[in-house]
Amino acid sequence: MNKVFKVGLIGCGHIAETYFRGHQYFNNFKIVACADINQKAAEKCAKLYNIKSMTVNEILKDKDIEVILNLTIPQSHYSVSKKVLNAGKHVYSEKPLATYFQKGKELVALAKQKKLYIGNAPDTFLGGGGQKAKELIDSDLIGQIKLGNAIFAFPGVENFHPKPESWYKKEGGPVIDMGPYFLQHLLIF
Ligand SMILES: NC(=O)c1ccc[n+]([C@@H]2O[C@H](COP(=O)([O-])OP(=O)(O)OC[C@H]3O[C@@H](n4cnc5c(N)ncnc54)[C@H](O)[C@@H]3O)[C@@H](O)[C@H]2O)c1
């Protein structure tokens, strides 16, 4: 039988529901507790998904939890992931890894030093479009690629997000939030 990793979620916002939905298709991890700087958000999430609500410090100290899913806003990814690694737990974070390149590198080095895993969204390159493009490029169909271009047009985050504030703060916005989807494709190809 597979080992089932116990996962703690930090950041009970808009995207958490997608993770709970996707979570049903996996048999190797289980989200068992959640935390948020906004305690009401954590309590609401815990009630909805029948898991434990904790404070961030409690979830980091919980010995049963081996992996933390960091679904906080981009501005908090670095500090939360750093705390997780320093607490001796693996971390998977939403994009971006950090809002500054050096801070992202620091997290990767810290994970290596502590022999912990650090993983990061997006994983959309695993989808059909990305994989087909990679297959065609790898088979040398279009020759050596010299230049990549990505264009993003969007009517505004308010269209779908109930709390768009972080987009309008320092270290937020479309390049930080949506850029990783395009950059990962450009880098992989
Ligand atoms: N919403 C989407 O459609 C979507 C899609 C893909 C990826 N993402 C990514 O997921 C992440 C979260 O997005 P969201 O839309 O759920 O944001 P959100 O603002 O709805 O939720 C973020 C939650 O994190 C909490 N938080 C912030 N800083 C914290 C900290 N230091 N410690 C503990 N909790 C903290 C907030 O209180 C909030 O409840 C972002 O990085 C975003 O780029 C979002």
Side-chain angles (χ1 to χ4, degrees), residues 10-16 18-19 35-38 41-42 56 70-77 79-80 83 93-96 121 160-167 176-178 181:
I10 303 184
C12 305
H14 189 240
I15 200 63
T18 306
Y19 278 81
D36 198 292
I37 36 166
N38 174 355
V56 172
N70 179 0
L71 304 187
T72 61
I73 52 173
Q75 290 90 338
S76 299
H77 289 174
S79 62
V80 170
K83 274 190 212 162
S93 171
E94 255 302 338
K95 41 75 188 174
F160 71 92
H161 205 294
K163 274 174 68 191
E165 290 82 356
S166 78
W167 268 56
I176 289 285
D177 194 78
M178 301 305 278
Y181 293 113

Side-chain angles (χ1 to χ4, degrees), residues 25 91 125 132 149:
Y25 301 104
V91 61
F125 68 93
K132 188 67 190 170
N149 182 31

Side-chain angles (χ1 to χ4, degrees), residues 7 101 136:
V7 174
F101 184 60
L136 296 176

